[in-house]
Amino acid sequence: MNYLKITAFTIVLSLAGCISWVFAKSPFNDMPEGEYVVDLSHASIVWKVSHLGLSNYVARFADFDASIEYDPSDITKSKVTAKINPMSIQTAYPDPKKEDFDNTLATDESWFNAGKFASIDFISTSIKMTGEKTAVMNGDLTFLGVSKPVSLDVEFNGAMLRQPFSGKPTMGFSATTTIKRTEWGMGKYAPNIGDEVEVMIEGEFVKTDD
């Protein structure tokens, strides 16, 4: 009986060790150099803006693309680019008018004006590490035809040399920033609809095949 207990305990420890190894997070400096692209099934761009000072209205973009040119020898030399499709805006506006409301926000000349400006673009210009797993990333945001610098607070969530489901090197990040929409020419209903827009970004990035 004792032998069986010891054997079962040994098997459990072995399995736990295997699981721990598979899901172990690798240091970012150990990740291979090259291009990483966002995994849209594990990524989001959510923003919120004050509504009359009573609540924060929350929406998201469902269609976007982003990539990292990763330099593990000096992470600060890595480059990040992103493109957002403003037609992909999704709100929680109640049915049956939700589709019309989302489309109005996307296409109205006073809002995202997607018919004229079909993309919201970001290109990083610098990355400064502020801690072992935190950084400030500066870049240029082009929105409604206007380009202005923005700063994002970035958290390095984790990295795996072999993500257990895809089998590929994968890194995960969170980022936040706050912009003033009027600086890009979107002034409709400000300040009743808040000028400051808080943006929250989550993303996993997968190494492309060389």
Side-chain angles (χ1 to χ4, degrees):
M1 189 64 152
N2 289 336
Y3 173 77
L4 290 175
K5 288 183 179 179
I6 292 172
T7 301
F9 183 66
T10 302
I11 291 172
V12 169
L13 284 180
S14 298
L15 287 173
C18 290
I19 292 171
S20 176
W21 176 82
V22 168
F23 286 90
K25 292 183 177 180
S26 303
F28 280 85
N29 287 40
D30 292 340
M31 298 298 287
E33 182 179 5
E35 183 183 26
Y36 290 72
V37 296
V38 69
D39 172 8
L40 280 180
S41 61
H42 299 97
S44 62
I45 299 177
V46 177
W47 51 269
K48 63 181 182 180
V49 63
S50 172
H51 180 259
L52 301 175
L54 300 174
S55 65
N56 289 307
Y57 196 83
V58 179
R60 66 190 297 154
F61 294 108
D63 182 20
F64 54 92
D65 190 22
S67 65
I68 303 172
E69 286 295 334
Y70 189 65
D71 184 348
S73 64
D74 187 349
I75 293 175
T76 64
K77 292 182 179 178
S78 302
K79 299 289 184 181
V80 178
T81 60
K83 297 178 75 69
I84 300 170
N85 176 7
M87 286 298 299
S88 69
I89 189 170
Q90 294 180 349
T91 70
Y93 202 84
D95 289 334
K97 295 184 177 180
K98 177 185 182 304
E99 185 174 343
D100 290 341
F101 182 66
D102 289 358
N103 186 68
T104 296
L105 286 180
T107 59
D108 191 285
E109 293 181 358
S110 298
W111 294 113
F112 288 93
N113 199 3
K116 184 175 181 180
F117 304 104
S119 180
I120 301 169
D121 301 321
F122 173 83
I123 301 175
S124 70
T125 54
S126 69
I127 298 173
K128 180 182 179 181
M129 299 300 298
T130 56
E132 184 179 350
K133 292 187 176 181
T134 58
V136 172
M137 180 169 60
N138 296 310
D140 293 323
L141 177 66
T142 302
F143 174 41
L144 295 177
V146 178
S147 294
K148 286 186 172 292
V150 295
S151 294
L152 294 90
D153 293 317
V154 181
E155 183 173 354
F156 293 62
N157 295 325
M160 294 182 176
L161 286 171
R162 185 179 182 277
Q163 201 258 38
F165 303 111
S166 69
K168 296 181 178 181
T170 303
M171 300 183 289
F173 302 90
S174 300
T176 58
T177 189
T178 299
I179 66 171
K180 290 188 175 181
R181 62 187 179 94
T182 55
E183 294 183 356
W184 279 265
M186 183 190 283
K188 189 170 185 177
Y189 298 144
N192 293 315
I193 304 299
D195 187 10
E196 290 192 347
V197 181
E198 184 178 353
V199 184
M200 296 150 285
I201 302 165
E202 298 287 337
E204 293 183 17
F205 289 78
V206 182
K207 178 76 170 61
T208 59
D209 296 328
D210 295 326

